Amino acid sequence: MADFFLQALGQVGSPMVLALITIGVLFGIIGGCIPGFTVTMAILVVFPFTFAMDPISGVSLMVGVFVGGYSGGLVSGIMLGIPGTPSSITTVYDGYPMAQKGEPGRALGIGVAASFIGTLISVAVLVFFGPLIASYSMKFRPWEITSLIVFALTLVAGLSNGAMLKGLLAAALGLLITTVGYDRNSNLRFDFDLPVLGSGFEILPVMIGIFAFSQLMGNLEKLRDDKSDIKDVNTNVAIPYRQILVDMSRQKINTVRSSLIGSLVGALPGTGGTVANFISYDQAKKMSRHPERFGTGTPDGIVASEASNSAVAGGAFVPTLALGIPGDLPMAIMMGVLILHGITPGPLMFEQNPVLVGAIYASLLIGAVVMVLSQLLLVRWFAKISLIPQQVLVPVVLMLCAVGAFALNNNLFDVWVLFIFGILGYLLWKAEVPLTPLILGVVLGDNMERQLFRALELDSSWLTFLTRPLSALFLALAVVSLLFSLYQNRKIRLHALETKGE
Amino acid sequence: MNDATRQARSPSDRARQEETRAKAMGHIVLNVTLAVLFIFLFLRAGSLPSSMWEPLGSGSFPRMVLAALVVFNGLIIATEVRHFIAMPALPAKALTGWCYQHRLAFGVLGLFTLFILAVPILGFRWSSLPFLIACQFLLGARHFRGILIAIAVALVMSFGIEALFRDVFTISLPRGLWN
């Protein structure tokens, strides 16, 4: 693997690819620092630009966006008190008070340094565990893969805050979308005599439509509710480098612990940066000698939040590359992009495309360096950019989504697919149906059907799913995750009733 | 007057109850529509050919998924009906109020529909330019400076993006009937 990594480093180190990573990181930071834009949206906007690129260039650009996006949320969180992405919510708890006390540069510097170390640790986790899990999962047969996909879908559906049934509905709807068009025996399904439906729906217009429209229309609803003017922000920020070195030297354990939490949470399907930064912040507070300082502008809180949400970047790649199962929503989109470039993520990727895997490692590392340099040098510009109003953002992003959908196959039908699934996504979002399980269902549907067919071809008994230990374990975990979710739902309901009673 | 109405102690309680009932009604309408669609597709999938030498036919996997979808929808409808019945009736103008609240979203979706319809005729450049200006105007670019910014953004994102894709990525965006 070391040879392949060096080979990949050579390719990623070319001026062209370095420039692409830099552009990706800058765009990711910009996307992350604009409230309501999110990392996923940044990835969606950039992906059409990768169509004409070779896989390594395209993937490097996307990885750059990924690294930049996870760290970008801290700028608006610290300067405006509004988290740029949901994964930087806890950054606001201490970053904003510190900035209000007249130390915005210190808050930003600590956040950037923690993000950098978080990304590096998560890459180490990816390099160590990725190949290990991949080599183990090579032993998986169709029964295990089917059960693993069922587990991933139930886990994600169950994690949908008090809406397990809706999460399951969304996951099943995602699976259904993949059944349109020709099946493996060339039989047409649900084509309604429309030739355009013969080849089914492209994954990317479906994913973009579902995610982008609900997100943008949601932003419009906030625009309607929020009548306040844009805050007057002083973007003149000086970074006190010496002070940050002192602060970070006192945060060694907190940084490592938070980075490991971020990597681990990132590797679990359906969790992502938001869960990571809450768990990590909570742990840092519990372990701290001064928990009362949390929320008042302590460096501990910023480090816990930023190290963990940036560590999600590397962690989320572990299940995507090793098992072909994306860890979170941005990674599901990333997987769609890899498939578009003819690469199927999964255990075989380490054997068939080792240079590309090495390129992902190298891009993450280089991206982290570019991220820290850009954040420190250009922070005042990012703070200004985070003030871009939704009235400009929404039409521009919608138009770029349409361009992306069209450029995929030079086909206007894909733009209509984007639009129709966009409306469906918006309606489902309004009905409080979580969209992450839906997108995961869309990404995993084809593979699930294929593996189920193969399993039953090899042994027509459904009982085999329960007699094979690992398959039975995954199915048992799926049941446990649903039961746990039912318990959580009940707890949330009882809590709501108690609050109402008071 | 039902129990919930009697228990509503303040105008904010009443507003919350109305919101819960409105939401429940919306969810029921959506889930009933989806359930009907899934039952129709389930029946249609039954006519898909089965395989002589494979344990599962073409329609087996979709039918499994559709059956699960019908069950999930049924359970959600049952839950929402309970919420709907427990809350007081909605005021007569609730639907109009909801549409008015969502006017920006509907406006943008309407403009986006016009944009897609216009692309094959006018081409990407000339359909995205008015779309971007109209959208920004709708969302609040009303003053002179705002309109100037909107025009500049629209020019860059329509002509600029078209040129970028054509010259750098060698991907040709639609050029319309007259080009």
Side-chain angles (χ1 to χ4, degrees), chain A residues 128-147:
Chain A
F128 182 73
F129 285 104
L132 210 68
I133 296 173
S135 68
Y136 185 70
S137 67
M138 291 286 274
K139 293 175 195 151
F140 289 4
R141 305 291 309 278
W143 298 274
E144 283 79 29
I145 300 172
T146 311
S147 303

Side-chain angles (χ1 to χ4, degrees), chain A residues 183-185 189 224 430, chain B residues 23 54 58 101-102 169:
Chain A
D183 74 347
R184 56 196 240 124
N185 292 326
R189 299 188 295 199
R224 184 199 68 210
K430 289 295 294 176
Chain B
K23 266 187 185 173
E54 283 177 337
S58 252
Q101 272 186 350
H102 292 80
F169 301 124

Side-chain angles (χ1 to χ4, degrees), chain A residues 374-386:
Chain A
S374 323
Q375 287 270 36
L376 293 176
L377 295 174
L378 304 171
V379 70
R380 70 180 61 182
W381 295 104
F382 294 136
K384 279 186 179 149
I385 288 169
S386 69

Side-chain angles (χ1 to χ4, degrees), chain B residues 63-178:
Chain B
R63 272 166 80 90
M64 276 187 259
V65 174
L66 284 161
L69 280 167
V70 173
V71 172
F72 296 148
N73 262 297
L75 291 170
I76 294 170
I77 292 166
T79 317
E80 296 296 347
V81 165
R82 273 212 320 261
H83 291 152
F84 183 74
I85 293 170
M87 294 296 142
L90 290 172
K93 288 184 177 170
L95 185 65
T96 328
W98 186 85
C99 289
Y100 183 74
Q101 272 186 350
H102 292 80
R103 65 194 183 282
L104 287 182
F106 292 148
V108 170
L109 289 175
L111 286 172
F112 192 75
T113 313
L114 291 176
F115 163 63
I116 311 177
L117 288 171
V119 168
I121 304 161
L122 302 176
F124 171 77
R125 271 184 303 190
W126 291 107
S127 45
S128 57
L129 184 73
F131 164 74
L132 289 167
I133 295 172
C135 236
Q136 290 179 78
F137 181 78
L138 175 76
L139 298 179
R142 303 284 162 82
H143 303 294
F144 182 69
R145 189 166 170 261
I147 292 171
L148 268 186
I149 293 172
I151 292 171
V153 169
L155 278 169
V156 171
M157 297 312 292
S158 54
F159 283 73
I161 288 285
E162 210 259 354
L164 182 72
F165 269 79
R166 189 187 57 229
D167 299 330
V168 180
F169 301 124
T170 58
I171 293 174
S172 179
L173 297 175
R175 316 197 73 181
L177 293 177
W178 294 282

